[in-house]
Amino acid sequence: MNKKLAAALSGGAVLVLTLSGCGDDSDDKVNDWAKKFCAQAQPQLQKIDKANAAIGQKTQDNDPPAEVQKTDSVAFQQMSDAYKALGTAVGEVGPPPVDDGEATQKAAMKELNASSKEYAELKTKVEAVDIKDQHKFSDGLKTIANELERISTGGNQAMKKLESGKVGAAMSKQKGCQKQPASTGPSGSGATGGDAPAEGSASGDDATRKDSSEKDASEKNSSDKDSSEKKD
């Protein structure tokens, strides 16, 4: 049902910021520009990744249409907001200090804002799909998937230009603009691991019991030692 949407998302994105972290040295001004932009871009790229992942999780045919519709609607809104914020970020940091920097900046802003609008339109369309009729719902998702594929694979020439040359090399060294590994946390938990066990949890109780056992053993050894010394 939602598999084609997931496939369209995996086929490409309007934003191409999946830089590997290697590149030639750039001058200080370009590095400063990349640092400022990538700092603002990182949370928006994370939102887009999470939205894509949410749609990808709803690929089973037994998922209720209403649930799939709600998930897709929320995801498209998140992507719309993220692309709009990215366009704002490009505007706030100013033109990249390279040849045709101002023209590149304006083209990237226009492209990102257009993508934001298109995802907002997809949200409206997915909310209008008939969820009471399974056949109509599937056909509606196919139509949306075709539009999503068009958005994902086209219209990213300005961003490609922004990410080329010295600017691309500088951005590749910024963590905020590098592709992040997918989270391995459980679905819907929001967990990324590493949290300490809560008080009263199973692992917390084990630790408490261990401390208690060690304390009892220590007291017993001390008692035995005192008894032995008295006998001597």
Side-chain angles (χ1 to χ4, degrees):
M1 183 189 299
N2 223 27
K3 291 178 181 178
K4 193 168 183 181
L5 282 178
L9 285 168
S10 65
V14 176
L15 194 66
V16 198
L17 291 177
T18 55
L19 306 171
S20 61
C22 59
D24 297 331
D25 290 337
S26 303
D27 58 48
D28 290 341
K29 289 183 179 180
V30 177
N31 280 327
D32 288 343
W33 185 93
K35 184 176 181 180
K36 290 177 182 177
F37 171 70
C38 293
Q40 295 189 49
Q42 185 176 36
Q44 306 310 324
L45 296 177
Q46 289 174 342
K47 287 180 184 178
I48 293 171
D49 284 343
K50 289 180 179 178
N52 289 346
I55 290 177
Q57 288 173 357
K58 294 296 178 183
T59 58
Q60 302 302 317
D61 291 337
N62 58 355
D63 284 326
E67 188 175 329
V68 174
Q69 183 185 54
K70 182 179 179 180
T71 297
D72 292 352
S73 173
V74 171
F76 288 144
Q77 183 63 60
Q78 290 173 338
M79 286 190 276
S80 176
D81 293 343
Y83 280 111
K84 184 176 181 179
L86 286 168
T88 300
V90 174
E92 288 181 349
V93 297
V98 293
D99 293 340
D100 297 326
E102 186 172 348
T104 300
Q105 177 203 28
K106 289 181 178 179
M109 289 172 62
K110 181 179 179 180
E111 197 170 82
L112 290 166
N113 287 327
S115 296
S116 173
K117 183 179 178 181
E118 287 181 307
Y119 280 110
E121 290 173 353
L122 284 182
K123 174 183 182 292
T124 300
K125 289 178 180 180
V126 79
E127 289 176 348
V129 174
D130 188 347
I131 60 174
K132 295 180 180 179
D133 186 304
Q134 185 70 45
H135 182 71
K136 290 182 179 179
F137 182 65
S138 296
D139 286 345
L141 284 189
K142 288 178 183 178
T143 300
I144 292 172
N146 289 335
E147 293 192 35
L148 180 59
E149 187 173 10
R150 175 185 58 79
I151 296 172
S152 298
T153 58
N156 59 355
Q157 295 305 310
M159 287 307 301
K160 285 182 178 179
K161 184 175 181 180
L162 181 66
E163 295 164 5
S164 64
K166 287 185 178 181
V167 176
M171 290 165 70
S172 73
K173 293 185 287 186
Q174 299 297 324
K175 185 177 180 181
C177 283
Q178 294 172 10
K179 187 172 181 62
Q180 301 299 312
S183 173
T184 56
S187 173
S189 68
T192 56
D195 291 337
E199 184 177 354
S201 67
S203 54
D205 290 343
D206 288 342
T208 302
R209 285 193 292 270
K210 182 179 178 182
D211 291 342
S212 178
S213 297
E214 290 176 351
K215 182 178 180 181
D216 289 344
S218 177
E219 291 176 348
K220 184 177 184 302
N221 290 337
S222 178
S223 177
D224 290 345
K225 183 177 179 181
D226 290 343
S227 177
S228 176
E229 288 176 349
K230 288 178 180 179
K231 288 180 181 179
D232 292 340

